[in-house]
Amino acid sequence: MKLDSKVPSGPLEQKWQKHQFEMKLVNPANKRKYSAIVVGTGLAGASAAASLAELGYEVKAFCFQDSSRRAHSISAQGGINAAKNYQNDGDSVYRLFYDTIKGGDFRSREANTYRLAEVSNNIIDQCAAQGVPFAREYGGTLANRSFGGAQVSRTFYARGQTGQQLLLGAYSALMRQVGLGKVKMYPRTEMQDVVLIDGHAKGIVVRDMVTGEISSHAADAVVLATGGYGRVFYLSTMGLGCNVTAAYRAYKKGALFANPCFTQIHPTCIPHTGDYQCKLTLMSESLRNDGRIWVPGAKDEQRAPGQIPENERDYYLERKYPSFGNLAPRDISSRSAKEACDDGRGIGPSRYGVYLDFSDAINRLGKDVIKERYGNLFEMYELINDENPYEVPMRIYPASHYTMGGLWVDYNLMSNIPGLHVIGEANFSDHGANRLGASALMQGLADGYFVLPYTIGDYFVREGAKNISTDRPEFREAEEAVTMRIKKLLDVGGKQTPDSFHKRLGQIMWEKAGMARNEKGLKEALQEIPALREEFWNDVNVLGSADEMNMNVERAARVADFLEFAEIFCLDALDREESCGAHFREEYQTEEGEAVRNDKKYAYVAAWEHKGVGQKPELHKEDLQFESVQLATRSYK
């Protein structure tokens, strides 16, 4: 299989404009002839569904929440990047592009990343026009703050609620189209499979999560906007409903899964406190603007933080990375925290935590300023930990967060399956081996508002309207396969809950494929995961029936997919014998613990093709070409 990225020729700065001109357009009067299915209505999905309907296409939108407002996008608290350069501090589209390429450790496609930076300014204009309440300076201009991996202030924010406010803007645009009858919403509905007609994606099979009914829906194209797979670690910052199912079912139908081992560990999460936990809480990276991260200089320190004098503290990020300090990128900051804790200098009951201290900022700026910037985050922390962060430092530790891997897509955001488009976190395209802070919201809205509405029209014209009916045998076969899979889960009749298997899988993944990986651990994981999967299918207990509201069925099906997906995750991590970004192989590091890339062998996108459950997938490579940036050792010192 030859991977064609469909990146247009010409100078980097002109590729997107050239491509927009060269793509075929749908006559406004003909748009109503075409239909699209959008699965997922977070930032990427809601913006895409609203934009496609605004253009005149017929849209069906599906989400498993009771409302699009509950999508996990609301959890992206800190901000959204754009190259407006309001501070006149040296920012530009090219600098945003370069910081993003460098932040991803030179493992992303140049053209996609530049386009992301190029449309970033349009996103801010669009959202401000929708009424998103961005923070403002005294003179009325939009405010900016700094985020990790950048030396300029380019992050727009709405206190610590940026994702929520942006989602409300996209939700308003979506519901306008629902009201006009251009979008038909299907809440509490979960995709079970994608249906191919003559090799093209022309529909999906879904399960009504209230009644249990299995049904089919047809369209001229399918758009997946279903987020990431960070819950493969069980404990993560992601919502409990987040899963890999939609992307993984598409993978089993022939879509390539790219770079699955590229998963981000976020450095500022509330530490895990016991085996009863099923989720971790993210404290926004924006806190690192004013908070200083430190650990005691001595091992096994028992004193309270206020009793440890300044000269006995190790502000390790400021020491190791003086140019960026506490705003070092997430992967570097996370590994540094683990290194300090592994050295015996961790804090808190588990000793796996570090301090995030605001005392200097409060003394310098005053409590009211800090409260204005981060008040809701401080309140959330106090509710969870019963500690006042205005008076004592926060305790934080890294946790699974965002996933840079996803289904492979070309420059048009279409997978190798014609008609199957993948946007937002569900695709692999823009972040490489590590995502910088405030880039997730940028990519989701760029894909939904400004990229997909152009590129999907080109596919429609080239393919033509097919008026596919769900009476076709391909839909019936897919429905039968989904029904049989659910029946198989219910018929096991074992003794263990789906969550117990998920937790055990998460322990394997975190210990052997988490913040740091090595050959021995990955090979052990590849032995343990198939054994756990076999045990699951012999001893899982799924209570209830299929033809009713049954969360046990939903959870069991998602865990079953994770148990298969985890294997290709570990295979990808084992195959990539280098360290790059968030993929840290312990065998490939400098004496100072920095990542060592191997550009000669691994400057490519690893795209895996399904060959059957338990069978090794086939690796396809998209070589990465760097014409506008020079490959260099990634340094933040």
Side-chain angles (χ1 to χ4, degrees):
M1 184 185 299
K2 179 174 172 55
L3 297 180
D4 182 3
S5 65
K6 295 186 172 61
V7 171
S9 60
L12 183 67
E13 297 81 0
Q14 299 174 18
K15 287 182 186 292
W16 178 230
Q17 291 182 2
K18 177 187 178 189
H19 195 57
Q20 286 175 300
F21 180 76
E22 291 176 346
M23 282 187 291
K24 295 185 179 297
L25 300 177
V26 182
N27 183 294
N30 289 335
K31 286 189 170 72
R32 67 178 70 95
K33 298 178 182 178
Y34 295 96
S35 60
I37 285 171
V38 178
V39 185
T41 53
L43 272 181
S47 59
S51 299
L52 294 176
E54 187 74 40
L55 288 170
Y57 300 115
E58 296 296 325
V59 178
K60 291 182 178 181
F62 298 81
C63 67
F64 63 67
Q65 298 92 352
D66 59 350
S67 167
S68 304
R69 291 172 297 174
R70 300 191 188 279
H72 189 62
S73 300
I74 65 170
S75 295
Q77 304 154 329
I80 177 171
N81 285 335
K84 287 286 192 182
N85 195 29
Y86 285 159
Q87 270 63 34
N88 198 28
D89 57 359
D91 202 9
S92 65
V93 168
Y94 189 87
R95 187 177 293 277
L96 174 53
F97 154 71
Y98 182 78
D99 285 347
T100 308
I101 282 277
K102 176 186 175 184
D105 218 351
F106 304 93
R107 289 294 178 262
S108 58
R109 203 186 278 151
E110 266 193 347
N112 286 67
T113 306
Y114 187 87
R115 177 175 64 188
L116 177 65
E118 187 178 359
V119 304
S120 65
N121 292 340
N122 296 338
I123 297 170
I124 302 304
D125 295 339
Q126 168 98 357
C127 294
Q130 287 176 335
V132 173
F134 287 119
R136 293 180 180 268
E137 303 289 359
Y138 173 76
T141 56
L142 299 184
N144 288 129
R145 57 189 177 198
S146 300
F147 252 56
Q151 292 179 304
V152 297
S153 295
R154 63 162 66 105
T155 302
F156 295 78
Y157 62 97
R159 293 189 72 192
Q161 308 168 4
T162 314
Q164 181 178 12
Q165 297 301 328
L166 290 171
L167 184 61
L168 288 173
Y171 171 76
S172 299
L174 173 60
M175 295 311 293
R176 176 176 180 270
Q177 295 302 322
V178 172
L180 292 172
K182 299 297 293 180
V183 174
K184 187 169 183 181
M185 276 294 304
Y186 293 86
R188 301 290 289 150
T189 306
E190 185 169 31
M191 177 184 143
Q192 301 292 310
D193 209 349
V194 63
V195 179
L196 307 186
I197 306 291
D198 298 327
H200 288 243
K202 294 299 179 185
I204 60 173
V205 175
V206 300
R207 180 177 183 271
D208 187 307
M209 295 166 66
V210 176
T211 67
E213 179 186 2
I214 304 295
S215 61
S216 294
H217 298 265
D220 293 299
V222 175
V223 181
L224 297 186
T226 50
Y229 49 85
R231 285 272 296 163
V232 72
F233 293 101
Y234 184 69
L235 285 177
S236 82
T237 66
M238 304 185 82
L240 296 186
C242 295
N243 59 81
V244 75
T245 289
Y248 190 72
R249 301 285 172 87
Y251 163 74
K252 293 178 78 170
K253 279 296 183 72
L256 301 180
F257 214 112
N259 299 337
C261 77
F262 287 172
T263 56
Q264 184 178 78
I265 309 299
H266 198 294
T268 55
C269 303
I270 296 178
H272 137 255
T273 56
D275 292 339
Y276 58 85
Q277 266 186 277
C278 57
K279 185 189 183 307
L280 296 173
T281 302
L282 169 69
M283 300 307 295
S284 169
E285 180 173 315
S286 62
L287 295 170
R288 294 200 281 155
N289 273 289
D290 290 305
R292 299 179 70 193
I293 296 172
W294 63 276
V295 292
K299 296 182 179 181
D300 300 318
E301 177 63 72
Q302 300 297 321
R303 288 175 293 178
Q307 297 175 339
I308 302 174
E310 194 74 12
N311 63 351
E312 295 182 30
R313 301 179 180 187
D314 180 13
Y315 294 90
Y316 56 86
L317 290 178
E318 297 174 28
R319 170 174 56 81
K320 294 170 67 176
Y321 307 101
S323 294
F324 285 76
N326 295 298
L327 289 174
R330 292 176 176 179
D331 59 319
I332 289 172
S333 302
S334 295
R335 286 198 296 274
S336 296
K338 181 179 186 296
E339 179 184 295
C341 293
D342 288 346
D343 189 42
R345 295 182 293 137
I347 53 90
S350 70
R351 294 294 170 183
Y352 276 91
V354 301
Y355 288 125
L356 179 60
D357 193 338
F358 289 86
S359 56
D360 283 357
I362 291 171
N363 291 334
R364 184 178 71 253
L365 302 171
K367 181 178 177 180
D368 289 343
V369 172
I370 298 301
K371 187 174 183 178
E372 181 182 350
R373 292 178 180 176
Y374 313 113
N376 62 310
L377 298 171
F378 278 45
E379 291 167 11
M380 181 170 67
Y381 181 88
E382 186 169 6
L383 282 171
I384 293 171
N385 277 3
D386 196 26
E387 295 175 350
N388 184 346
Y390 293 104
E391 298 174 359
V392 296
M394 288 184 179
R395 290 180 285 113
I396 59 169
Y397 192 69
S400 166
H401 182 52
Y402 188 89
T403 55
M404 288 74 68
L407 293 181
W408 182 89
V409 293
D410 62 19
Y411 191 68
N412 295 322
L413 303 182
M414 188 162 70
S415 73
N416 58 297
I417 297 177
L420 180 65
H421 297 75
V422 190
I423 60 177
E425 191 178 355
N427 75 31
F428 86 99
S429 65
D430 293 352
H431 304 299
N434 177 60
R435 178 177 71 82
L436 293 183
S439 292
L441 301 180
M442 179 172 59
Q443 187 206 347
L445 293 179
D447 289 354
Y449 280 140
F450 298 108
V451 180
L452 183 72
Y454 281 96
T455 61
I456 201 171
D458 183 74
Y459 169 76
F460 284 148
V461 173
R462 295 179 188 276
E463 172 66 5
K466 298 296 185 181
N467 297 316
I468 299 293
S469 168
T470 55
D471 293 333
R472 293 181 62 115
E474 292 91 341
F475 285 95
R476 290 199 301 273
E477 291 168 7
E479 286 186 19
E480 289 171 4
V482 168
T483 302
M484 290 303 297
R485 181 179 175 85
I486 293 174
K487 183 178 184 301
K488 183 179 178 183
L489 284 167
L490 290 165
D491 287 347
V492 174
K495 297 180 180 179
Q496 300 182 60
T497 66
D499 279 354
S500 68
F501 283 100
H502 194 179
K503 182 181 291 187
R504 288 166 63 189
L505 174 66
Q507 289 171 340
I508 295 170
M509 295 298 291
W510 182 251
E511 291 170 7
K512 303 189 174 169
M515 239 188 300
R517 301 114 185 228
N518 58 54
E519 182 180 12
K520 179 177 179 290
L522 290 167
K523 286 183 174 178
E524 288 174 355
L526 287 168
Q527 294 292 320
E528 294 170 13
I529 292 166
L532 183 63
R533 185 169 65 239
E534 183 177 359
E535 184 182 348
F536 172 89
W537 284 106
N538 284 302
D539 199 35
V540 70
N541 183 14
V542 185
L543 299 173
S545 65
D547 54 352
E548 62 181 355
M549 184 166 68
N550 189 345
M551 295 179 69
N552 294 308
V553 169
E554 300 158 21
R555 288 171 178 162
R558 295 168 187 168
V559 173
D561 289 327
F562 275 132
L563 284 165
E564 294 179 15
F565 169 73
E567 199 166 358
I568 67 165
F569 181 117
C570 293
L571 281 168
D572 187 46
L574 182 63
D575 187 76
R576 188 172 285 274
E577 296 179 342
E578 65 166 352
S579 290
C580 57
H583 169 63
F584 191 74
R585 284 282 297 269
E586 293 174 343
E587 304 96 320
Y588 308 102
Q589 58 179 304
T590 66
E591 291 181 1
E592 294 80 24
E594 304 295 337
V596 174
R597 288 198 326 264
N598 186 338
D599 294 330
K600 290 184 178 179
K601 290 185 65 175
Y602 295 103
Y604 61 72
V605 177
W608 297 90
E609 180 184 2
H610 182 63
K611 291 296 181 180
V613 178
Q615 304 297 313
K616 185 174 181 178
E618 183 178 353
L619 174 61
H620 303 275
K621 300 176 182 179
E622 178 199 336
D623 292 329
L624 293 170
Q625 307 297 326
F626 295 95
E627 301 172 355
S628 299
V629 298
Q630 184 176 353
L631 287 168
T633 300
R634 181 170 172 250
S635 175
Y636 292 91
K637 294 186 176 181

